[in-house]
Amino acid sequence: MTRFPWPHLLLLGAGVFISVTTELVPTGLLLSMSRDLQVSPSRLGLLVTGYAVMVALFAAPLGTLTARMPRKTLLVASLGAYTASNAVMIVAPDYPVAFGARLLGGVTHGLFWAVVGGYAARLVTGDRVGRAVTVLSAGGSMAVLVGVPAGTSLGTAVGWRTTFAVLTGVAVLLTLLAWWLLPEVPGSSAPVRTPMREVLRQPNFPPIVAMTAVTMLGAYLMITYTAPLLHRAGLSETQIAPVLLANGIAGTLMLPVAGWVADRWLRPGILASGGLLMAGLVLLSLYGTAVWAAVGTMILFGLGMGLLPVFMQAATLRVAPDHTEQASGINASAYNIGVACGALVGALALDTWGIGGIPPLGLALVTTGMLVYAAATGATRIRLRARPLPATREGDQGVA
């Protein structure tokens, strides 16, 4: 059996860490950033929306357009672009400049996520895809566990620009390490680029894309406005970071479970992790002004989000093994359509109904996503079992 490529996957996981931290850290700094940039919290939330819109627009096209390009070159370029995006945030004098920096970060994020899943899949054999995706997802969990709470604490203590300065430094380091250490992995050797519509016709792929978009829309209604929701329950700004830490710990505890389940019972795992999100939103809808309910919701969301993105990525790679870059890009677009629309709809709900309107609306959307997925996969008897992922060229798999 080929040795599992831990060093390379851990470096990719670190890239996921910086990408997820960059995307989500404004949610913990929402109140201080809105004061400094002199905009309302709902308008500041559009920094998350604009970022996600760029991912939604560019992830799938970039996955298709770059499918034949060398993977390492694209990964190094995307990490370098994270550096540029975060560096602009350090010196942004006003909201428009900050918004432009976030748009750059969103395009970068689209490229990174169009590449990283397929790259990792080519480093392992098909029966290890779930474990490889789990290592990548560990970077996302560590972002929620360490990156966002630490960035929130640092930004609250000494200013949010310092948080982005640290992110810039980490991105520089990862760019250099990726250029030095990652193995060369060629792009697709297919003579003709597969159109996105053909990838979407892959058996069992459309229900995964639909579930991803709708479920994440509901989830990010809550996630984007975490700080105001916790403040509504009576927590001060300085108490938000410890709650985010509890959220991250819950997600991290799920990672060993996620890798094991992803390679065995993927469909039940997707439904169960969606159920955790639904339970958290029920709790927040009924008892949102109580500290215990707000904290309990964050823990349930940590558990659910520690599992569901792993399962989404594993399912994508399973059902489209011949089109990993394009499929990863399409699902990354769907994910970020959910993020963008969640932040945007949340801003509208916040201005229309107040903060109390967000949890019930999020619950309705997450429930809809799970029901659509359950109905579609039940009707077609989807079997998301492990099967070999073809290498683009001889030697692509099992890189050690």
Side-chain angles (χ1 to χ4, degrees):
M1 181 178 291
T2 312
R3 184 165 58 93
F4 196 71
W6 282 108
H8 303 137
L9 289 173
L10 288 172
L11 182 53
L12 294 178
V16 172
F17 171 88
I18 198 66
S19 75
V20 174
T21 302
T22 295
E23 180 173 21
L24 295 182
V25 76
T27 63
L29 298 170
L30 195 77
L31 301 177
S32 60
M33 289 181 71
S34 65
R35 286 194 300 268
D36 187 51
L37 295 173
Q38 298 181 348
V39 295
S40 67
S42 61
R43 191 177 178 198
L44 198 282
L46 295 180
L47 291 184
V48 177
T49 301
Y51 188 104
V53 165
M54 291 297 101
V55 183
L57 290 176
F58 287 99
L62 287 173
T64 298
L65 292 172
T66 64
R68 298 174 64 184
M69 295 178 63
R71 305 290 90 189
K72 177 179 176 178
T73 300
L74 292 172
L75 280 168
V76 171
S78 63
L79 290 171
Y82 277 120
T83 302
S85 171
N86 288 323
V88 174
M89 289 294 291
I90 301 171
V91 297
D94 51 31
Y95 180 79
V97 174
F99 193 78
R102 295 292 290 178
L103 295 184
L104 171 62
V107 175
T108 298
H109 200 87
L111 175 62
F112 179 81
W113 282 96
V115 174
V116 70
Y119 187 101
R122 288 194 173 94
L123 297 180
V124 299
T125 52
D127 60 333
R128 293 175 168 184
V129 167
R131 278 163 282 181
V133 171
T134 300
V135 175
L136 298 187
S137 296
S141 293
M142 289 304 294
V144 177
L145 173 64
V146 177
V148 176
T152 300
S153 296
L154 183 64
T156 301
V158 296
W160 62 269
R161 296 177 192 275
T162 305
T163 297
F164 282 96
V166 172
L167 289 174
T168 301
V170 174
V172 169
L173 177 61
L174 290 179
T175 302
L176 294 174
L177 288 175
W179 175 76
W180 182 36
L181 296 176
L182 286 180
E184 295 287 350
V185 173
S188 173
S189 59
V192 179
R193 186 182 295 123
T194 305
M196 283 189 290
R197 63 179 179 275
E198 294 297 328
V199 180
L200 283 168
R201 290 173 182 167
Q202 294 293 304
N204 309 327
F205 189 40
I208 295 168
V209 175
M211 177 268 296
T212 297
V214 178
T215 302
M216 289 302 101
L217 195 164
Y220 275 87
L221 272 170
M222 199 284 290
I223 292 171
T224 304
Y225 297 97
T226 293
L229 284 164
L230 294 176
H231 188 66
R232 173 196 180 213
L235 294 168
S236 67
E237 284 189 53
T238 58
Q239 293 173 316
I240 290 174
V243 177
L244 294 177
L245 179 63
N247 171 268
I249 290 172
T252 302
L253 291 175
M254 289 294 98
L255 284 176
V257 178
W260 188 72
V261 172
D263 286 333
R264 290 168 177 82
W265 302 295
L266 191 48
R267 182 178 180 272
I270 288 172
L271 296 174
S273 54
L276 289 168
L277 300 184
M278 291 160 59
L281 288 165
V282 167
L283 191 64
L284 201 61
S285 297
L286 296 176
Y287 306 104
T289 57
V291 171
W292 66 269
V295 173
T297 295
M298 292 302 297
I299 292 172
L300 287 169
F301 253 68
L303 296 173
M305 294 299 288
L307 295 169
L308 191 54
V310 178
F311 297 154
M312 289 173 175
Q313 181 73 357
T316 298
L317 297 174
R318 290 273 183 254
V319 301
D322 298 321
H323 310 285
T324 55
E325 285 82 11
Q326 294 98 319
S328 294
I330 290 168
N331 215 43
S333 289
Y335 191 105
N336 282 277
I337 285 171
V339 175
C341 292
L344 179 59
V345 172
L348 296 173
L350 185 63
D351 288 340
T352 303
W353 301 310
I355 195 68
I358 287 178
L361 185 55
L363 174 62
L365 288 163
V366 172
T367 302
T368 299
M370 287 293 111
L371 288 175
V372 168
Y373 175 77
T377 56
T380 58
R381 298 183 181 275
I382 288 179
R383 306 260 183 203
L384 298 175
R385 300 288 187 182
R387 58 189 178 117
L389 285 166
T392 54
R393 298 176 188 173
E394 184 177 357
D396 282 358
Q397 290 188 25
V399 177

